[in-house]
Amino acid sequence: MKILIIGGSVFLGRAFVQEAIARGHSLSLFNRGKSGPDVEGAENLRGDRESADDLEALAAAGPWDAVIDTSGFHPRTVGQSARALSGRAGTYLFVSSFHIYADWPAGPIDESSDRLDCPPDAAVDEVPGNALKAGCERAVEKYFAGDALILNPGLIVGPRETPGRLLWWLERMARGGEVLAPGRAGQPVQLIDARDIAVFGLDLLEAGEAGRYLVTGPQGTTTLGELLELCARVTGAGARPVWVPEDFLADQGVGPWTELPLWALEQPAMAGAWAASPARAVAAGLRARPLAETVADTWEWLRGRGPSETPYRQGDIVLGIDPEKERAVLGAWRAKAAR
Ligand SMILES: NC(=O)c1ccc[n+]([C@@H]2O[C@H](COP(=O)([O-])OP(=O)(O)OC[C@H]3O[C@@H](n4cnc5c(N)ncnc54)[C@H](OP(=O)(O)O)[C@@H]3O)[C@@H](O)[C@H]2O)c1
């Protein structure tokens, strides 16, 4: 197949690139050349997806059998590329997320769940940030004159991960010692390896499929405790998780999700955080590799790259607890336990 990837140089896009090249597809990449080097074996097209002129030049470089858009966040921008590529590609695969579902993360979701309101032409400041991808999906469905294939991934991990949630845990475990672990070891997590999304997405494109698939790991099979044990084992520094209850962490001012990554509060508002059904995707061929393989491969990649020079960030928020604060909270917890 002839495939265009809008993006392709960071994480999920890179996984699509590697899988597409391994399958012998003819690949074009369109990006600004800021986030990563050119890819050998692909046609590297420079341009900014925000620029109408660059999109016009891009369309002239086609046609393609399919476009894979891993870098769409704003409805108007995605609408522009969907319009520009209409008639220049057969299928538009848009990578969306769970955020588009009105019930997530409070309740369970599947492909039939309601989407948040967000028009296909919404400007960034017109709707709340978590609804923007819903507008992007609608922009593809409205403006692309061909098949729309929408993937809604849950939390994605694997080599080259952004923003670095699993990377932070691996680096923390590699420092060894007692590690502040949030809540309880048995709380569920539901993760998917970027490489498994790429395999599934390309399988669907090769089969000429369209529609919507929620892509995540199996429900109810993995816990945060298992994940941290796997991280401790592969890093081999003898790190020991110390599980500290949520209410104590709240009293100490330790925040969920970002300060201790992947920690979703076990409260009603987050009851569906790890309760998405990938059944439709599994029936269509999605296979999630064992978490142990993802953790081992990610650690191997991380060791090859070396520690991050800058903190991991989710938007403006730095990921991971400050080491001093972690020591203080562990000390306070030990003091409480000793009373
Ligand atoms: N991480 C998660 O847990 C998670 C969960 C659910 C969904 N997702 C979705 O998965 C996707 C992951 O993205 P990724 O970063 O891994 O994708 P990627 O395709 O590997 O990297 C982003 C690409 O976008 C390009 N880009 C950015 N701005 C551009 C512009 N104005 N014009 C042209 N190209 C531009 C970047 O290159 P240049 O900077 O060089 O232009 C880069 O190649 C996102 O859509 C995200 O919403 C992620």
Side-chain angles (χ1 to χ4, degrees), residues 6-339:
I6 307 180
S9 50
V10 179
F11 172 41
L12 181 59
R14 279 288 282 265
F16 270 109
V17 166
Q18 285 173 341
E19 185 64 25
I21 288 178
R23 291 180 186 211
H25 293 306
S26 161
L27 195 59
S28 307
L29 303 185
F30 175 75
N31 57 55
R32 298 164 302 176
K34 288 187 177 176
S35 302
D38 282 352
V39 172
E40 211 175 305
E43 179 187 29
N44 294 278
L45 302 166
R46 284 284 160 272
D48 188 335
R49 65 177 303 161
E50 309 269 348
S51 154
D53 289 347
D54 289 0
L55 286 176
E56 197 181 320
L58 171 66
W64 296 273
D65 298 303
V67 49
I68 299 173
D69 185 349
T70 50
S71 62
F73 295 94
H74 304 146
R76 283 188 187 174
T77 308
V78 172
Q80 276 173 7
S81 56
R83 279 195 199 91
L85 294 168
S86 283
R88 307 299 291 159
T91 303
Y92 197 118
L93 186 162
F94 180 71
V95 174
S96 184
S97 84
F98 281 5
H99 285 287
I100 63 114
Y101 292 108
D103 286 343
W104 192 84
I109 52 166
D110 64 18
E111 289 83 357
S112 67
S113 301
D114 288 341
R115 281 190 288 185
L116 288 167
D117 286 334
C118 178
D121 300 301
V124 176
D125 50 4
E126 285 172 2
V127 287
N130 63 336
L132 287 170
K133 283 260 194 191
C136 295
E137 291 185 1
R138 292 188 178 100
V140 174
E141 290 159 354
K142 181 170 179 184
Y143 295 119
F144 183 69
D147 288 336
L149 175 58
I150 312 271
L151 300 185
N152 296 116
L155 201 128
I156 310 173
V157 287
R160 303 180 193 283
E161 187 222 317
T162 56
R165 301 175 180 110
L166 177 56
L167 305 187
W168 183 84
W169 276 115
L170 283 164
E171 289 182 0
R172 174 62 194 93
M173 290 299 179
R175 296 207 309 271
E178 289 197 332
V179 175
L180 183 62
R184 59 183 186 94
Q187 63 190 288
V189 288
Q190 197 178 12
L191 311 171
I192 184 84
D193 192 304
R195 296 168 296 177
D196 295 333
I197 300 177
V199 167
F200 180 59
L202 286 165
D203 284 349
L204 292 175
L205 289 177
E206 288 167 5
E209 297 289 335
R212 165 186 303 282
Y213 294 90
L214 206 144
V215 280
T216 187
Q219 211 179 329
T221 56
T222 309
T223 64
L224 188 58
E226 286 163 6
L227 178 68
L228 298 198
E229 286 301 332
L230 286 169
C231 291
R233 208 177 305 150
V234 293
T235 50
R240 298 175 308 283
V242 177
W243 294 93
V244 175
E246 287 187 348
D247 51 359
F248 186 84
L249 292 176
D251 289 346
Q252 298 287 318
V254 180
W257 200 246
T258 47
E259 204 164 15
L260 291 172
L262 301 174
W263 167 35
L265 286 172
E266 293 197 278
Q267 292 178 0
M270 297 296 287
W274 310 116
S277 169
R280 180 163 196 264
V282 170
L286 173 68
R287 296 287 171 268
R289 74 192 64 208
L291 188 59
E293 186 181 325
T294 297
V295 171
D297 289 354
T298 306
W299 175 237
E300 193 182 332
W301 172 81
L302 193 52
R303 274 198 306 179
R305 186 202 68 176
S308 175
E309 284 165 17
T310 51
Y312 299 116
R313 285 178 184 276
Q314 185 174 330
D316 293 337
I317 302 170
V318 170
L319 292 182
I321 190 166
D322 174 74
E324 287 285 310
K325 182 171 176 183
E326 183 189 23
R327 267 192 293 278
V329 175
L330 282 169
W333 175 244
R334 272 193 300 271
K336 181 180 163 84
R339 279 205 293 272

